[in-house]
Amino acid sequence: MTTSRAETHVSAIEKSTIKKVAWRLVPFVAFMFFINYLDRSAIGFAAPNGMNDDLALTVTQVGFASGVFFIGYILLEVPSNLALARFGARRWLSRIMVTWGIVAVLFTWVGNFEQLAILRFILGVAEAGFFPGAILFLSLWVPARHRGKILALFYLAQPLTTVIGAPLAGLLIGAHGLFGLEGWRVMFLGVGAPAIIIGVVAWFYLKDKPSDAKWLTKEEQVWLTEELAAEKTKTESLQAVTAGKQRGGFMQAFTSGRVWILAFIYFGFIYGLYTLAFFLPTIINGFQELYGTEYNVFEKGLITAVPYIPAAIALWLWTKDVSKRGLRTWHIAGPAVIGALTIPLALFAGSPVATIAVIAITAMAIFAVLPNFWTLPTQFLTGVAAAAGVALINTVGNLAGFGAPYITGAVADLTKDSSGEPQYFVPMAIVGFFLLLSAVLMVVLSYRGKKDGSFNPDAKAPAIVH
């Protein structure tokens, strides 16, 4: 009876502690991510709503400026992560936010393409390390068995950024003349300043460890500290066992065919994600010419937000299904095929409503996969090899962040119609090709793994979102 009561007591402590962590930390860190994603994608709202005309930009130039962000991001991601480990996640995340907020505000006074491209590159440098740092911070606050749910809640911020951010951007752009600024400049000021404010707040609001959290009871602090310490000890023991093989582990990731296949699978989804993020507002802006409809800036923002509502729902439900039955090949390949077919067909839907409905399906397909994809590398990589493999896959994905907007803009310019208007069918077909390639590569990866017995994404063990 004593053991039973003790187990019940521990279970109650565990439940209350994780609930408090989820409510106290996840919404705030997700809000930080909300501002992060809004700042990096704000150029997509500004471009068709005055910036292109005021700065005399071509679609190719907008695509390059959108994508060059990821070059700076990639170059500084590893150094930023090393600094985060040295100075602590709370301090470094706060520093990153304030820095990128200052850069984001400077977009208010950008005067030409060269200044726009330079600021976008610097913004990438400033934001480098935020996303993995936020993941690390949350991971350090919960035992491994709870991280799937916590990180899935965090990932919801990405589609919800557009659900809330697109209408907000529309409102800010509609405030044309405020402070004597054009509407798109007001928008840059309005989305950049909050990063500085929240970055300062984060320094005081976030805590480095459970013992500093006054919102946990003493009993909850002790339980969480002991749980995390036990996991750390186990991890350090594993690292000690593999310490003599670190070089081999590192090289294992970079010479692994499976890692490179995963990298190209991820590339396809990120290519689709950022094509939507940067060019959906431009496509919606073209509804007036295509269908004879007229929308004000706020209405365009609302329309831009629509596909991301079902995308957020799909992300959550798909993650729950993966957690319930374990990751299956079709959890990745199925959405990839759906996205590949729908994104180019959206341009032939025949009406604004039908177009947005088809794009919503594409967004659902992409977002449903993203948090679950990261369960794959750790099925066959451990220790140093896992860290190196995840870094490599993420880097290749960020290259898609540069390639998607630049290639989309360049090809749209190259395929202009007789009146000189950029056309988007070929760029969207390219997105479809990469998504279809992701589906094929996932099937190949699964087949090869099952054949040699080294990797089976259809194993019945429950998956954990990383």
Side-chain angles (χ1 to χ4, degrees):
M1 180 67 71
T2 303
T3 303
S4 178
R5 285 178 179 174
E7 290 176 350
T8 302
H9 186 54
V10 170
S11 178
I13 293 174
E14 180 173 353
K15 184 177 180 180
S16 65
T17 304
I18 299 304
K19 183 178 180 180
K20 286 183 180 181
V21 170
W23 279 104
R24 179 81 181 194
L25 297 182
V26 176
F28 187 84
V29 179
F31 183 56
M32 295 169 71
F33 183 41
F34 169 90
I35 298 172
N36 173 260
Y37 191 73
L38 185 59
D39 280 345
R40 73 170 62 176
S41 59
I43 189 173
F45 301 112
N49 291 295
M51 186 181 75
N52 286 0
D53 293 334
D54 292 346
L55 303 185
L57 301 176
T58 66
V59 178
T60 302
Q61 288 175 325
V62 173
F64 178 83
S66 300
V68 75
F69 165 95
F70 292 93
I71 302 301
Y73 191 92
I74 291 169
L75 289 175
L76 269 291
E77 184 169 22
V78 172
S80 181
N81 286 346
L82 293 175
L84 182 145
R86 178 178 179 181
F87 297 109
R90 175 182 65 88
R91 294 180 180 86
W92 199 247
L93 289 177
S94 300
R95 196 284 307 163
I96 290 174
M97 271 199 96
V98 172
T99 305
W100 99 56
I102 293 171
V103 177
V105 168
L106 292 178
F107 280 85
T108 307
W109 298 281
V110 68
N112 53 47
F113 165 68
E114 289 75 14
Q115 292 176 7
L116 180 68
I118 291 170
L119 279 177
R120 284 289 297 177
F121 176 82
I122 297 174
L123 184 65
V125 170
E127 288 191 18
F130 175 79
F131 181 77
I135 294 291
L136 174 64
F137 177 80
L138 292 175
S139 297
L140 292 175
W141 270 87
V142 290
R145 60 185 176 275
H146 295 287
R147 285 174 194 157
K149 182 179 179 180
I150 293 295
L151 296 183
L153 288 170
F154 171 73
Y155 264 100
L156 281 173
Q158 194 166 21
L160 291 179
T161 294
T162 306
V163 172
I164 302 169
L168 174 61
L171 281 173
L172 292 171
I173 292 170
H176 182 82
L178 184 65
F179 307 125
L181 299 170
E182 291 91 346
W184 62 272
R185 296 183 187 274
V186 175
M187 188 268 296
F188 275 125
L189 179 62
V191 301
I196 302 174
I197 298 170
I198 299 302
V200 174
V201 172
W203 181 280
F204 301 97
Y205 182 84
L206 299 179
K207 302 298 178 183
D208 287 315
K209 54 186 182 296
S211 59
D212 294 334
K214 304 303 181 185
W215 38 272
L216 291 175
T217 67
K218 189 66 177 178
E219 203 171 24
E220 290 167 341
Q221 289 178 351
V222 170
W223 175 83
L224 186 53
T225 299
E226 291 178 350
E227 283 287 314
L228 295 173
E231 285 193 356
K232 182 180 180 182
T233 300
K234 183 178 179 180
T235 301
E236 288 174 347
S237 298
L238 178 61
Q239 289 175 342
V241 171
T242 60
K245 302 179 180 179
Q246 285 193 1
R247 181 176 300 273
F250 183 84
M251 292 306 298
Q252 177 190 351
F254 280 81
T255 58
S256 169
R258 288 191 294 266
V259 169
W260 283 102
I261 290 175
L262 284 174
F264 287 116
I265 292 172
Y266 190 56
F267 181 96
F269 284 104
I270 297 301
Y271 194 99
L273 173 68
Y274 283 108
T275 299
L276 286 180
F278 291 125
F279 284 96
L280 180 56
T282 298
I283 292 171
I284 291 171
N285 199 55
F287 282 172
Q288 181 171 339
E289 182 179 345
L290 283 173
Y291 306 119
T293 57
E294 289 192 23
Y295 303 105
N296 61 37
V297 177
F298 179 66
E299 289 171 335
K300 291 175 185 176
L302 288 175
I303 295 170
T304 302
V306 168
Y308 293 89
I309 298 173
I313 296 171
L315 182 154
W316 181 249
L317 294 179
W318 208 246
T319 300
K320 286 188 68 175
D321 189 74
V322 169
S323 298
K324 180 180 178 180
R325 72 175 80 213
L327 189 70
R328 300 288 189 269
T329 301
W330 53 265
H331 277 123
I332 306 296
V337 172
I338 293 172
L341 295 176
T342 54
I343 195 163
L345 292 179
L347 300 179
F348 298 95
S351 72
V353 173
T355 300
I356 292 301
V358 176
I359 290 175
I361 296 173
T362 306
M364 291 169 67
I366 293 171
F367 279 101
V369 167
L370 290 179
N372 300 299
F373 169 85
W374 290 107
T375 66
L376 290 170
T378 52
Q379 287 195 27
F380 61 91
L381 293 174
T382 58
V384 175
V390 169
L392 174 61
I393 293 166
N394 192 51
T395 298
V396 173
N398 282 327
L399 289 175
F402 170 74
Y406 180 64
I407 293 172
T408 300
V411 175
D413 265 341
L414 288 172
T415 56
K416 289 179 179 178
D417 62 15
S418 57
S419 64
E421 288 296 319
Q423 298 299 296
Y424 288 93
F425 173 72
V426 176
M428 295 304 112
I430 293 174
V431 177
F433 166 77
F434 280 121
L435 285 170
L436 187 60
L437 180 62
S438 293
V440 172
L441 289 175
M442 184 63 209
V443 173
V444 170
L445 183 69
S446 178
Y447 174 77
R448 287 180 55 186
K450 291 175 184 177
K451 188 175 181 180
D452 62 22
S454 61
F455 171 59
N456 184 8
D458 293 320
K460 293 185 179 181
I464 298 175
V465 178
H466 293 272

